[in-house]
Every structure is written in structure tokens, then in C-alpha cells.
Amino acid sequence: MAQTGTNAGSTAAMNISAPPPIGHVRIQLEAEETLHVLHAKAIMAYQGSPLGREDKLMGLGGVYRKKKWIRSRLQGPASFMLGLPAGFSLETLDIPEDSNLLFDFRHVVFFTEGIHYQSKILKLKTAWITKELIRIKFSGPGKLGVISVGDIATMQLDPVTPLFVDTSALVAYPEDASIRLAVYGNSLASQHMNVQWELRGTGPVLVQTGSRDRQLENKLTDEGWFKRLLRELLPFGSVYIK
């Protein structure tokens, strides 16, 4: 399977060329390759035999976790284009047979034939705070397409030194990791930060790197206090001052 696309996964063992315009990913399937796409409506264009696409109803678990009823099974030889939401990127990850990573299923866009997955129920206290009841464990060998806000970064866990990750940014972590909800820093820091996952153990953690700081975004796009003042004070200022 060959892929070209925006931020198309440096961790994948694929032939990846320079990315095309932002907003889509192209995937080429060889004759014996099969891919399961969990967001069927994201398929913007398809080139191949009409019989190479077979849509199926998801199981009840998939409907609950993805809020989708249909998934597509694509059989090569074929090529197709996946549309991506603005500001999102797609990583293609190699999943070995003994993988122990637990994924947030919302981030999974596709997986290759031969990938198996099972649900892992989180602790009720954790689920209550994060509104997340289930994580998914995938086992291969195969490939997994993961969508994220910004890129996906990999950080390594340490058995002693904790790693703190914003709960909205944690895409996947090892099943055997020690994990709990926490905050860190002094009292002022802990009072003004989002809830964090505190993790210890060994193995990789996948983090989406898109900024979640709305104040930072506002500051970077701030037009200045003087223009805002004129817009407020002058008659019809909001109309004439843009």
C-alpha cells in the first residue's frame, strides 16, 4: 500500500512521497491489499473496479464509539482520496502482532486486513472525569490510519519519572502503563491547567500536537487594542473598521 498525503506518517513502512495540497490523502492499494475505512463519507474520489468497494454495517460497539453506522471495505487494485478536516493530519502506523497500545477510537480512520481489535474498559472514576469509557487495543501485523489535530508526536515513558499529558491530547498509550488523572506544578499552576494524564512505565505514548490554547490563538490573531477601541467608540465603527 502506497500513500501520499499531508503529514503522512513518518513511522509507517510505506513509500511516501512529498505531500499534496493540505486537506487530503491519496492511498494506492495493490491487487491483494484490503483496507477498512471507518469514515466512509471521507472517501472523496475512488478509482478502481466498482466491485472493489463493499460497505457494511458496523457492529453495535463501533456505532457507539465512532457514531457511524457504515464502514467501507476497499479491495485493490485501486486508489482513492480521503478528505481531511481543516487543521488535521493523518499518520499511518505499523501495528505489530504484540502491540499493547490503547487507542482513542475516535482517532482511527482506517486499518488493513488482518488487524484485530478489542475493547478495554477504563476505571469508572477515570471515565466520569474524561467522558471516556473505552480504549481500543489493536494487534497486527498491519497498518493503522490515525487522524489528529496537528501532527502526532511520540514520547517515551519512564518507570520513575512521570509524564503528564493533557487529557485532550493523548491518542494512545501502553496497556501496562501506570495511569491516573492528576495535575502538577505549584498551586497556581494546578488550579489553571486542564486535567492531565499522569503516566509511568515503558514504551511509547502518542500525543496530538495541535494547540488547544484558545487564548494563545487569540493573541496570535489579535488586531490590537487601538483598533478595537475605535470600533467601540466611533459611530458605526463596527461597520467601517475591519
Side-chain angles (χ1 to χ4, degrees):
M1 178 171 61
Q3 172 186 325
T4 64
T6 306
N7 299 317
S10 59
T11 56
M14 287 184 174
N15 296 322
I16 301 170
S17 64
I22 292 174
H24 70 275
V25 172
R26 294 182 181 181
I27 298 177
Q28 178 78 38
L29 296 176
E30 301 300 332
E32 301 301 322
E33 291 182 321
T34 301
L35 199 67
H36 297 266
V37 179
L38 302 181
H39 292 267
K41 289 186 177 181
I43 301 175
M44 309 307 297
Y46 170 85
Q47 186 173 33
S49 168
L51 300 179
R53 174 174 172 170
E54 180 185 6
D55 284 11
K56 297 182 177 181
L57 289 173
M58 280 193 180
L60 290 179
V63 172
Y64 170 75
R65 292 187 292 269
K66 298 293 288 184
K67 304 298 187 291
K68 300 285 183 182
W69 287 96
I70 301 294
R71 75 177 184 183
S72 295
R73 182 180 184 271
L74 301 180
Q75 174 73 49
S79 62
F80 64 97
M81 181 188 299
L82 284 177
L84 301 179
F88 283 70
S89 63
L90 185 81
E91 298 274 355
T92 305
L93 310 176
D94 285 314
I95 303 297
E97 186 175 359
D98 59 349
S99 174
N100 69 341
L101 288 178
L102 298 182
F103 282 84
D104 183 338
F105 202 45
R106 296 173 298 178
H107 290 273
V108 179
V109 177
F110 64 75
F111 56 86
T112 56
E113 190 91 342
I115 288 279
H116 303 281
Y117 61 90
Q118 61 184 123
S119 301
K120 297 292 183 177
I121 300 177
L122 303 180
K123 296 178 181 179
L124 288 179
K125 179 181 178 181
T126 300
W128 175 262
I129 296 176
T130 63
K131 306 298 187 293
E132 181 181 82
L133 180 62
I134 295 173
R135 285 254 166 176
I136 306 299
K137 179 181 178 181
F138 291 89
S139 58
K143 297 183 185 297
L144 200 67
V146 178
I147 194 170
S148 63
V149 181
D151 297 331
I152 288 184
T154 301
M155 301 187 70
Q156 295 295 325
L157 290 179
D158 185 273
V160 178
T161 305
L163 171 65
F164 295 91
V165 181
D166 192 301
T167 54
S168 65
L170 185 60
V171 175
Y173 59 86
E175 181 181 15
D176 55 1
S178 170
I179 180 169
R180 70 184 186 92
L181 293 172
V183 291
Y184 63 95
N186 62 7
S187 59
L188 184 60
S190 62
Q191 290 171 15
H192 290 85
M193 69 171 56
N194 295 331
V195 176
Q196 307 281 313
W197 292 102
E198 179 186 326
L199 301 105
R200 289 183 174 88
T202 58
V205 168
L206 305 183
V207 180
Q208 64 177 359
T209 60
S211 173
R212 319 298 286 189
D213 188 343
R214 301 305 180 193
Q215 292 184 352
L216 174 60
E217 294 180 20
N218 292 337
K219 288 182 181 297
L220 292 175
T221 58
D222 190 3
E223 58 191 8
W225 65 270
F226 185 68
K227 183 179 287 188
R228 292 200 309 271
L229 181 64
L230 291 178
R231 185 181 289 120
E232 293 293 331
L233 295 180
L234 294 179
F236 303 104
S238 60
V239 176
Y240 296 110
I241 299 177
K242 301 297 184 181

